[in-house]
Amino acid sequence: CNVCAERMSAQRGTPLRDFLNGLTAPVLLVDSDVTVLGANQAAQDLLGKELLEIETRKGGTVIECFYANLPAGCGNNTHCRSCAIRNAIGETFRTGESILRQKAFPDVQLGHKTKTISMEISTEKVGQAILLRIDDISAA
């Protein structure tokens, strides 16, 4: 969101982890290929993962996307072309325009079952990265 971007600009000397943890909503910082560069504690809690299980991994892998677990991996499957999360990040990189509360319905792997979940996501470009905020998540 614009408030997050302004806070990040104002706090350039603040370590990234401290900045992200200052945000109350679950937030991932991703690059143009949806590789996670950082995550705040709220995102770690939501995903049930430690930072080491999130950073440097593709976003689809982090959220347990069914298609990210296929041999081609996150971003390389036919289904990835229609991924609302990946497309929102790409659009924000291309245009610089934020996306607010866009619906996404990823198929996630939960144990031995695949389940479609409903998410609302927001994006904000900050330098050469995107703040990806998870506004809402529930069963579809």
Side-chain angles (χ1 to χ4, degrees):
C1 66
N2 289 333
V3 173
C4 297
E6 288 172 19
R7 284 182 62 194
M8 189 169 202
S9 296
Q11 299 177 3
R12 290 252 188 240
T14 303
L16 176 62
R17 191 156 297 141
D18 292 345
F19 168 75
L20 291 174
N21 282 329
L23 303 173
T24 56
V27 175
L28 301 173
L29 183 70
V30 298
D31 68 10
S32 61
D33 196 33
V34 195
T35 298
V36 179
L37 306 172
N40 68 358
Q41 189 61 54
Q44 293 173 60
D45 294 343
L46 176 69
L47 297 167
K49 296 184 177 194
E50 298 294 322
L51 195 56
L52 291 174
E53 299 172 281
I54 298 173
E55 284 184 329
T56 72
R57 289 179 172 71
K58 297 283 186 165
T61 302
V62 169
I63 67 165
E64 304 290 335
C65 174
F66 172 79
Y67 303 105
N69 291 319
L70 295 177
C74 180
N76 301 310
N77 292 290
T78 303
H79 290 88
C80 299
R81 287 186 226 136
S82 62
C83 175
I85 300 168
R86 178 173 282 282
N87 289 336
I89 290 166
E91 183 178 333
T92 299
F93 260 107
R94 281 188 306 281
T95 67
E97 298 205 14
S98 300
I99 294 174
L100 298 174
R101 301 188 75 86
Q102 177 175 308
K103 292 276 191 185
F105 300 94
D107 296 323
V108 297
Q109 193 72 38
L110 301 170
H112 296 290
K113 294 182 180 182
T114 302
K115 184 172 184 170
T116 301
I117 61 171
S118 172
M119 302 173 77
E120 285 187 358
I121 59 164
S122 297
T123 60
E124 180 77 31
K125 188 171 184 183
V126 180
Q128 293 302 308
I130 299 288
L131 286 172
L132 174 67
R133 187 178 72 215
I134 302 169
D135 296 308
D136 187 31
I137 188 167
S138 59

